[in-house]
């Protein structure tokens, strides 16, 4: 007998969640509910709202929480970004000069937390760093050859390279070396010339790119596109050799490496999915959310379904409840526990307002048991159908 799905879930009661961020010890959670406010919750046996950050004027599009400096960066459709610092029991904002003419779309701290990147609808990325002399955050722009809205960003572990996904059907890797805050980088498999804004790789996609992510080593880059595909390239092998897997699922919104060879992706199908890289080729591994409703009723109801075949006036209630945990599209995946090359738990947030905490090992084990159970039930069900088809009983 298979138990229930081993996933913790919380509905914070604030409506659809488009992004979330954790503090270092995972006792606090920052979320944006598609509004101009950031809600910060603290775990006290349950999630309790402790702060509301309301400096933005339009809906927030990105949040990231730096674990070591304990600073939050946010961006919004109002074309602004703020760096929030916790002082005297309150979060104080510092405006960033991102110099954008259109909405900001995404934001992410660099691994060393000395700079961050902001994507926008202005076909550019602002790489922002703190200027001590003037006591403010300033930005440098990455522009060419981006031809459409920047949708997503991710930093390489070396704190210099930046992956950028956009609506022009391209994922790109740039150098985001800022001499004011970075040590001079050495050559790496992505490229040897690393002046700021130098384009190191331009990777084609068959749809606009929803999310990009570097692997823990930084040698691989994964991205998901609106054509329901997931793609991986390995710079240590050949940047031109892209492994693309076209799936039968609805488009993915988020992708996250959970080890050097394993990826979790999720989106409009409302279920996280596990993929593996074997011999530099992508392979689908399993769904991570298989419904726990037992199918034994389908075996018992097989006879009833045949009885109802000739009853055209049978009324059946329509159940609009999805069989997945999330009841609407998943918008983001974040690592929660474990190392970057061995993520043990991850969280998802969605338009249904849920935050879900997935234990990767337990979830994979559960899903494999569930798949075996469903295969056995399918076999029984098809045997029943075969028997009924071949043994028609006439009642006088």
């Amino acid at each position: 007998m298979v138990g229930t799905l081993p996933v913790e879930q919380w509905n914070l009661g604030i409506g659809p969640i488009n992004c979330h961020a954790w503090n270092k010890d995972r006792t606090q959670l920052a979320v944006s509910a598609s509004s101009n406010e950031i809600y910060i919750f603290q775990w006290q046996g349950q999630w309790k709202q402790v702060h509301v950050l309301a400096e933005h004027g339009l809906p927030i599009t990105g949040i990231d929480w730096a674990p070591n400096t304990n600073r939050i960066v946010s961006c919004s459709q109002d074309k602004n970004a703020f760096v929030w610092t916790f002082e005297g029991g309150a979060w104080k904002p510092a405006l960033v000069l991102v110099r954008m003419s259109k909405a900001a779309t995404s934001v992410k701290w660099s691994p060393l937390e000395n700079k961050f990147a902001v994507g926008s609808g202005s076909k550019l990325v602002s790489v922002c760093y703190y200027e001590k002399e003037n006591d403010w955050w300033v930005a440098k722009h990455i522009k060419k050859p981006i031809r459409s809205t920047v949708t997503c960003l991710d930093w390489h572990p070396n704190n210099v390279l930046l992956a950028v996904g956009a609506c022009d059907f391209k994922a790109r890797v740039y150098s985001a070396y800022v001499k004011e805050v970075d040590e001079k980088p050495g050559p790496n498999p992505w490229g040897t010339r690393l002046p700021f804004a130098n384009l190191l790789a331009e990777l084609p996609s068959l749809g606009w790119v929803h999310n990009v992510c570097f692997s823990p080593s930084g040698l691989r880059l994964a991205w998901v596109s609106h054509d329901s595909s997931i793609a991986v390239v390995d710079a240590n092998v050949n940047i031109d050799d892209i492994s693309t897997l076209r799936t039968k699922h609805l488009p993915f919104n988020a992708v996250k490496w959970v080890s050097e060879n394993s990826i979790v992706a999720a989106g409009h199908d409302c279920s996280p999915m596990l993929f593996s890289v074997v011999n530099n080729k992508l392979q689908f591994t399993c769904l991570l959310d298989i419904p726990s409703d037992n199918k034994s009723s389908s075996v018992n109801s097989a006879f009833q379904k045949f009885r109802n075949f000739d009853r055209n006036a049978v009324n059946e209630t329509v159940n609009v409840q999805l069989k997945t945990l999330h009841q609407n599209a998943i918008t983001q995946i974040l690592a929660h526990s474990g190392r970057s090359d061995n993520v043990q738990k991850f969280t998802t947030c969605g338009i249904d307002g849920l935050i879900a905490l997935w234990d990767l090992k337990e979830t994979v084990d559960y899903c494999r048991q569930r798949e075996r159970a469903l295969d056995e039930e399918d076999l029984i069900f098809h045997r029943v159908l075969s028997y009924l088809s071949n043994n028609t009983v006439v009642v006088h």
Side-chain angles (χ1 to χ4, degrees):
M1 193 72 180
V2 181
T4 57
L5 192 67
V7 181
E8 292 184 67
Q9 56 178 299
W10 308 286
N11 192 327
L12 303 177
I14 58 173
I17 298 174
N18 65 326
C19 53
H20 69 302
W22 294 94
N23 71 338
K24 185 174 183 178
D25 61 7
R26 305 310 192 243
T27 57
Q28 292 187 324
L29 174 65
V31 296
S32 168
S34 302
S35 69
N36 66 323
E37 296 177 326
I38 300 172
Y39 300 92
I40 297 181
F41 292 83
Q42 185 162 350
W43 183 255
Q44 300 175 356
Q46 60 182 2
W47 290 111
K48 181 180 178 182
Q49 183 180 307
V50 290
H51 299 283
V52 179
L53 314 184
E55 196 70 23
H56 285 287
L58 289 174
I60 290 164
T61 53
I63 309 172
D64 199 18
W65 199 326
N68 298 313
T69 58
N70 196 38
R71 292 182 299 203
I72 296 173
V73 62
S74 61
C75 66
S76 165
Q77 293 178 13
D78 62 8
K79 313 172 195 174
N80 292 323
F82 287 96
V83 174
W84 304 82
T85 307
F86 192 69
E87 297 176 357
W91 288 94
K92 297 183 179 179
L95 181 64
V96 183
L97 300 177
V98 290
R99 296 183 289 123
M100 294 177 176
S101 60
K102 294 183 181 179
T105 56
S106 56
V107 65
K108 198 168 183 71
W109 283 106
S110 68
L112 296 182
E113 303 172 17
N114 56 358
K115 57 186 177 180
F116 58 89
V118 186
S120 81
S122 302
K123 308 177 190 177
L124 60 83
V125 177
S126 288
V127 178
C128 308
Y129 62 97
Y130 187 68
E131 198 174 71
K132 292 182 180 179
E133 294 78 10
N134 297 309
D135 189 26
W136 60 7
W137 292 85
V138 295
K140 291 186 174 184
H141 284 171
I142 296 174
K143 294 181 179 180
K144 295 180 180 179
I146 303 172
R147 298 179 182 85
S148 189
T149 298
V150 173
T151 54
C152 50
L153 306 160
D154 194 44
W155 286 95
H156 190 279
N158 70 2
N159 203 69
V160 171
L161 305 187
L162 181 67
V164 178
C167 287
D168 60 1
F169 292 27
K170 295 287 193 301
R172 298 179 175 91
V173 177
Y174 290 94
S175 169
Y177 167 65
V178 178
K179 63 180 180 180
E180 287 83 354
V181 295
D182 289 325
E183 295 182 2
K184 190 173 182 178
N188 65 84
W190 290 97
T192 55
R193 294 186 63 255
L194 300 175
F196 181 80
N198 186 40
L199 178 64
L200 302 176
E202 186 172 67
L203 307 164
S205 175
L206 296 176
W208 59 82
V209 180
H210 284 297
N211 201 212
V212 291
C213 188
F214 277 111
S215 67
S217 69
L219 295 175
R220 290 170 169 162
L221 180 71
W223 64 95
V224 289
S225 308
H226 199 67
D227 64 333
S228 300
S229 70
I230 176 170
V232 169
V233 68
D234 192 329
N236 210 29
V237 179
N238 185 354
I239 292 180
D240 296 322
D241 184 14
I242 302 172
S243 175
T244 302
L245 184 63
R246 296 288 298 272
T247 72
K248 63 180 180 180
H249 305 289
L250 296 175
F252 301 112
N253 290 324
V255 63
K256 180 68 181 176
W257 290 88
V258 292
S259 73
E260 189 60 32
N261 297 306
S262 300
I263 308 170
V264 172
H268 293 275
D269 259 358
C270 310
S271 169
M273 302 177 198
L274 184 63
F275 296 85
S276 301
V277 180
V278 180
N279 297 325
N280 253 10
K281 297 297 180 184
L282 266 172
Q283 296 180 2
F284 174 75
T285 303
C286 64
L287 283 169
L288 295 180
D289 188 354
I290 295 181
S292 60
D293 60 310
N294 63 53
K295 209 173 176 184
S296 60
S297 59
S298 63
V299 176
N300 296 328
S301 65
F303 296 98
Q304 185 63 40
K305 288 182 180 179
F306 272 87
R307 292 191 192 105
N308 291 338
F309 275 170
D310 293 331
R311 301 177 186 177
N312 296 326
V314 171
N315 291 323
E316 293 185 6
T317 58
V318 177
N319 185 6
V320 296
Q321 186 83 3
L322 298 179
K323 293 183 178 181
T324 52
L325 176 68
H326 279 285
Q327 293 296 297
N328 210 322
I330 294 171
T331 54
Q332 190 182 26
I333 302 172
L334 289 181
H336 181 274
S337 306
R339 305 189 314 269
S340 62
D341 60 349
N342 184 22
V343 174
Q344 297 173 358
K345 295 182 179 181
F346 66 90
T347 55
T348 55
C349 65
I351 298 175
D352 56 357
L354 277 185
I355 300 284
L357 175 62
W358 306 77
D359 187 307
L360 191 59
K361 183 180 184 303
E362 290 186 7
T363 303
V364 170
D365 290 344
Y366 166 84
C367 289
R368 284 174 176 165
Q369 292 174 20
R370 184 65 190 150
E371 283 177 341
R372 285 194 293 269
L374 289 176
D375 287 342
E376 291 174 1
E377 290 172 359
D378 277 336
L379 180 61
I380 295 171
F381 182 70
H382 284 100
R383 284 176 178 172
V384 170
L385 294 183
S386 177
Y387 174 82
L388 291 175
S389 301
N390 298 323
N391 297 274
T392 307
V393 178
V394 179
V395 179
H396 296 285

